Amino acid sequence: MTAWSRRCLTYRMFDTLDAVRTDIAQRLKRGASDRKSAFHCPAIATADADARIMVLRAFDEDAWTLRFNTDARAPKVAAIGESAPVGVLFYDAGAKIQLRCRGTGRIEHYGPIADAAWEEATNFARRCYLGDGPGAVSDGPTSGLPERFEGVEPSDEDLEPARENFAVLLVTVEEADWFYLSNDGHVRAQFLHGKGRWVAP
């Protein structure tokens, strides 16, 4: 296949903004449900110029909202609060697709979404919230967990204090920048508050 043929194939796959929007939604849904997906662990950037990798737990296609679980004691929780700008960067090396999302983040400690997220987590996952808060200083390498829970699944009763340390980060995507990288010619599209446009790479 010639370079021109490959380029034409790419343009046929993503020849409309609706096709690109569908691709974005499908990748985000798979990222939330499939731990093998390249979109499962994006980089999250907050307004305090800090960034970290987080696990994408859910994507609401109707509201274009991403959900991540977090420790309520983490510094990013204070930085985001009830409303703050958040950037989310996804990259699928195999598909050569980068997705940059910008939006408004908010932390929910309690309420239907946070409660449901807590209920769907396994006891092993909930165990993380029994330990010291993120950034707590230690004399040596540590998981932060109480010794009796190292490698042990806590009971529901053991986990009762952990719920206080659990929260969710919700990011309402206001801008999505989709970028297909190719030696034969990059393709880029942006969606601002749902309205799409083609832009030069």
Side-chain angles (χ1 to χ4, degrees), residues 1-194:
M1 182 180 291
T2 66
W4 175 252
S5 298
R6 288 195 301 271
R7 188 170 186 178
C8 288
L9 178 61
T10 298
Y11 287 166
R12 284 199 299 272
M13 289 170 56
F14 303 114
D15 60 351
T16 68
L17 290 167
D18 283 343
V20 174
R21 184 184 175 91
T22 297
D23 182 71
I24 292 172
Q26 289 177 342
R27 290 180 186 281
L28 291 175
K29 284 189 285 189
R30 183 180 176 194
S33 62
D34 182 0
R35 66 178 57 192
K36 294 181 180 179
S37 166
F39 275 33
H40 189 56
C41 295
I44 312 297
T46 44
D48 56 354
D50 200 0
R52 75 286 292 157
I53 300 297
M54 295 183 72
V55 175
L56 178 62
R57 299 294 182 179
F59 169 62
D60 182 335
E61 186 174 359
D62 293 330
W64 275 70
T65 299
L66 310 170
R67 175 174 65 80
F68 305 87
N69 296 345
T70 187
D71 194 305
R73 300 164 293 176
K76 66 178 174 293
V77 169
I80 296 169
E82 295 181 1
S83 179
V86 173
V88 186
L89 173 63
F90 301 87
Y91 183 59
D92 185 332
K96 298 181 181 178
I97 288 177
Q98 172 186 270
L99 177 64
R100 292 183 294 167
C101 296
R102 297 184 183 90
T104 301
R106 70 183 188 276
I107 301 295
E108 290 195 7
H109 199 167
Y110 292 103
I113 297 176
D115 291 343
W118 176 256
E119 289 301 321
E120 77 178 26
T122 66
N123 279 11
F124 263 118
R126 295 174 183 173
R127 181 184 60 159
C128 300
Y129 303 97
L130 283 171
D132 296 330
V137 177
S138 170
D139 291 334
T142 178
S143 68
L145 291 171
E147 188 174 345
R148 68 192 184 100
F149 293 126
E150 292 280 2
V152 175
E153 182 175 13
S155 67
D156 290 343
E157 184 179 355
D158 290 329
L159 287 163
E160 287 179 6
R163 177 62 184 88
E164 178 65 24
N165 299 326
F166 176 82
V168 296
L169 163 60
L170 301 172
V171 180
T172 300
V173 177
E174 295 160 358
E175 179 179 345
D177 190 313
W178 178 95
F179 195 173
Y180 174 78
L181 297 99
S182 172
N183 289 334
D184 302 320
H186 306 319
V187 182
R188 185 180 178 193
Q190 293 177 336
F191 295 85
L192 290 80
H193 299 284

